[in-house]
Amino acid sequence: MSDVNKYIDGEIDRFQEELFEFLRIPSVSAKSEHNEDTQKAASWVAGQMRDAGLSSTVIDTPGHPVVLGEWREAGPEAPTLLVYGHYDVQPAEPLDEWESPAFEPTVRDGNLYARGASDDKGQLLLHIKALEAKLKGSGSLPVNVVMVAEGEEEVGSPNLVPFVKSHRDRLACDAVVISDSSMFAQGQPSLLFSLRGLGYFEIHVKGPSGDLHSGGYGGAVVNPGNVLAKIVTSLKNEDGSIAIDGFYDDVLEWEAQTREAIRELPFNESEFLEEVGAPGLDGEAGFSLLERLWIRPTCDVNGLLCGYTGEGAKTVLPARAMAKVSFRLVPNQHPDRIGELLRAHVAKVSPPEVEVTVEDLHGGRPWKAELEGPFFEAARTALEKAFGVPPVLTGEGGSIPIVVDFQEILEAPVLLMGFAPPGANMHAPNEWIPLENFESGIRAVAQFYSELGNG
Ligand SMILES: [Zn+2]
């Protein structure tokens, strides 16, 4: 057994105790009543980095601070790895749905329950512990390391891109590694090949200057509710595809190899159906369920507002109607371009007797991984050694906008290597991580550094 694994064996109980300590700090970034806790979590992380053998500083931003850890003794010729994670957590509400208190870590059946267990404190700390095990167990690292732990991920990272831009030189690196996602199945490690992006819009339809009596005016005045319904239904075709002209122009055709690999993943559609609790499933023709979730774009109504929705009948011809509509985007779509196409589509299908506007709410670009190179190879080998099975490649239906920013600002490939279990209840009550994943994660990341040294 390697000295590093021996070190981990000897220290794993303390590592777990320290994870409990971290999880007891309610660093809820969204709530100002927790500002002191969030600050405390930042100092705690800086202390952990120092104990691991890195130099660390807490750097203020207009919001919550960024903790920066550095170890540069591999020398200027050696590559540099940037490790990113976040020390803030989601609010714990609704509190009465937690089986044990959200900020009192509790172990049941080998699983650790607490807010932040998986997202992202458990995964951030396992990186720090892997560095400690390497530095104390083997004495050095084959690469320079810079760690960025932010405290605003759960509120949309408003200060991170400015921070990365203003510290571009200090953060210069050859690759970025992020552990803030899930494994495909328990015991089955995975590496992400893509993330979907997001284009989020509001469609407003304005008719008469005020609400009207539907008996006195209906039939003569165009109803914004009817128009909005027409717009919304015009967005998709019967076969589940999106009916906006040009929408698919930039959609990447994935190589047969990737689609083949997705088809080979063990996936139980009836369990999925049970999980969502819907009477049936839908989707774009010609694509498997996982493909629809990972590599195909979507169009969904997220909210509708119009007319009278209270009890009983009110015969109103509403003056206005509004829909919130979002698109999950895939490489190489861009939210700005999707906004232009949506506006052109809405203008085409709307009658001139109403005023229709489309507002941008939020956008994030999709991401595609570079599945090659020394960092990717090292990660693949390390995960296989730590878990006993090779990692599978998976997509992610959600968005992590910072990934694209890192890639562009630092001009370095990003590696997403998650250790959370599927169904970790991130953002929900009873968030958890198997203690086994915390330990295997430490071993896998330590091994990742060893592999980088072998390359
Ligand atoms: Zn997270």
Side-chain angles (χ1 to χ4, degrees):
M1 190 191 280
S2 75
D3 292 342
V4 173
N5 277 318
K6 257 186 243 160
Y7 184 87
I8 296 170
D9 287 344
E11 303 296 329
I12 188 66
D13 291 348
R14 174 175 60 84
F15 290 173
Q16 286 179 8
E17 279 308 317
E18 286 170 344
L19 175 58
F20 296 176
E21 212 179 295
F22 192 13
L23 293 170
R24 284 190 193 106
I25 309 171
S27 47
V28 180
S29 51
K31 293 182 157 187
S32 55
E33 65 189 82
H34 285 296
N35 281 359
E36 254 175 59
D37 299 312
T38 307
Q39 186 76 38
K40 188 177 158 197
S43 319
W44 191 90
V45 168
Q48 284 284 320
M49 288 179 183
R50 261 192 304 277
D51 292 347
L54 281 71
S55 63
S56 69
T57 48
V58 176
I59 300 176
D60 285 333
T61 75
H64 300 301
V66 171
V67 187
L68 194 68
E70 290 166 293
W71 188 90
R72 300 194 183 273
E73 288 166 43
E77 299 303 314
T80 299
L81 179 71
L82 186 144
V83 181
Y84 162 86
H86 62 94
Y87 64 83
D88 64 323
V89 296
Q90 282 274 316
E93 285 82 358
L95 299 179
D96 55 358
E97 288 184 25
W98 284 80
E99 278 180 47
S100 49
F103 296 105
E104 187 42 61
T106 306
V107 179
R108 293 191 291 276
D109 296 330
N111 298 323
L112 172 61
Y113 292 82
R115 168 58 82 234
S118 273
D119 181 16
D120 180 41
K121 286 177 171 173
Q123 302 201 62
L124 170 61
L125 191 63
L126 71 83
H127 272 275
I128 300 176
K129 293 305 170 193
L131 285 165
E132 178 187 324
K134 277 299 286 182
L135 287 169
K136 305 241 162 109
S138 77
S140 82
L141 294 168
V143 294
N144 299 304
V145 172
V146 47
M147 278 196 97
V148 174
E150 76 154 321
E152 297 189 314
E153 198 275 345
E154 302 295 4
V155 290
S157 304
N159 293 296
L160 190 62
V161 169
F163 178 87
V164 176
K165 283 185 175 158
S166 61
H167 293 78
R168 197 192 307 246
D169 290 342
R170 200 161 169 190
L171 303 182
C173 61
D174 299 277
V176 177
V177 63
I178 302 177
S179 298
D180 193 13
S181 52
S182 302
M183 311 208 305
F184 180 68
Q186 185 53 8
Q188 174 59 69
S190 39
L191 287 163
L192 284 188
F193 62 73
S194 72
L195 292 165
R196 290 198 291 199
L198 182 69
Y200 201 130
F201 307 92
E202 256 179 31
I203 303 172
H204 291 263
V205 183
K206 201 171 152 273
S209 55
D211 284 359
L212 299 173
H213 188 295
S214 72
Y217 298 91
V221 176
V222 175
N223 183 323
N226 294 37
V227 172
L228 184 69
K230 184 179 164 208
I231 294 171
V232 165
T233 49
S234 76
L235 294 173
K236 289 183 83 171
N237 295 312
E238 280 300 312
D239 65 1
S241 63
I242 292 154
I244 298 171
D245 281 343
F247 185 84
Y248 290 95
D249 285 358
D250 299 323
V251 169
L252 180 84
E253 284 288 332
W254 286 83
E255 54 276 23
Q257 203 189 342
T258 305
R259 295 193 61 186
E260 181 72 42
I262 296 174
R263 270 194 296 274
E264 277 170 17
L265 289 172
F267 185 76
N268 187 324
E269 246 181 70
S270 50
E271 268 175 29
F272 179 86
L273 185 60
E274 199 170 310
E275 180 196 326
V276 296
L281 295 174
D282 187 19
E284 190 182 358
F287 294 91
S288 71
L289 199 148
L290 286 179
E291 287 179 323
R292 292 169 188 174
L293 292 173
W294 292 346
I295 64 168
R296 299 301 292 172
T298 66
C299 167
D300 280 297
V301 170
N302 302 109
L304 290 167
L305 191 65
C306 177
Y308 178 71
T309 56
E311 191 185 347
K314 183 188 180 200
T315 48
V316 62
L317 193 162
R320 289 155 196 275
M322 184 275 278
K324 289 182 187 277
V325 176
S326 70
F327 301 85
R328 289 287 168 177
L329 307 177
V330 298
N332 299 308
Q333 290 178 299
H334 195 291
D336 293 349
R337 176 70 183 144
I338 296 304
E340 285 167 21
L341 297 173
L342 174 65
R343 283 185 177 84
H345 176 89
V346 166
K348 195 176 75 183
V349 298
S350 302
E353 296 81 11
V354 289
E355 218 179 281
V356 183
T357 50
V358 177
E359 287 172 18
D360 294 291
L361 282 196
H362 182 57
R365 282 169 298 163
W367 169 78
K368 182 176 189 278
E370 274 177 39
L371 300 175
E372 54 186 19
F375 290 91
F376 176 76
E377 291 307 329
R380 200 207 306 254
T381 311
L383 287 170
E384 178 164 3
K385 285 185 180 168
F387 288 89
V389 284
V392 291
L393 296 176
T394 61
E396 162 65 51
S399 314
I400 311 179
I402 189 63
V403 171
V404 183
D405 292 315
F406 272 133
Q407 191 162 297
E408 286 188 358
I409 302 168
L410 302 175
E411 295 175 34
V414 184
L415 208 65
L416 276 92
M417 171 160 70
F419 298 104
N425 294 329
M426 295 185 180
H427 300 202
N430 304 308
E431 181 179 347
W432 61 292
I433 194 168
L435 283 173
E436 188 192 331
N437 289 33
F438 178 64
E439 182 174 341
S440 313
I442 296 170
R443 291 187 199 279
V445 174
Q447 189 63 40
F448 173 58
Y449 289 109
S450 304
E451 298 298 329
L452 288 172
N454 296 339

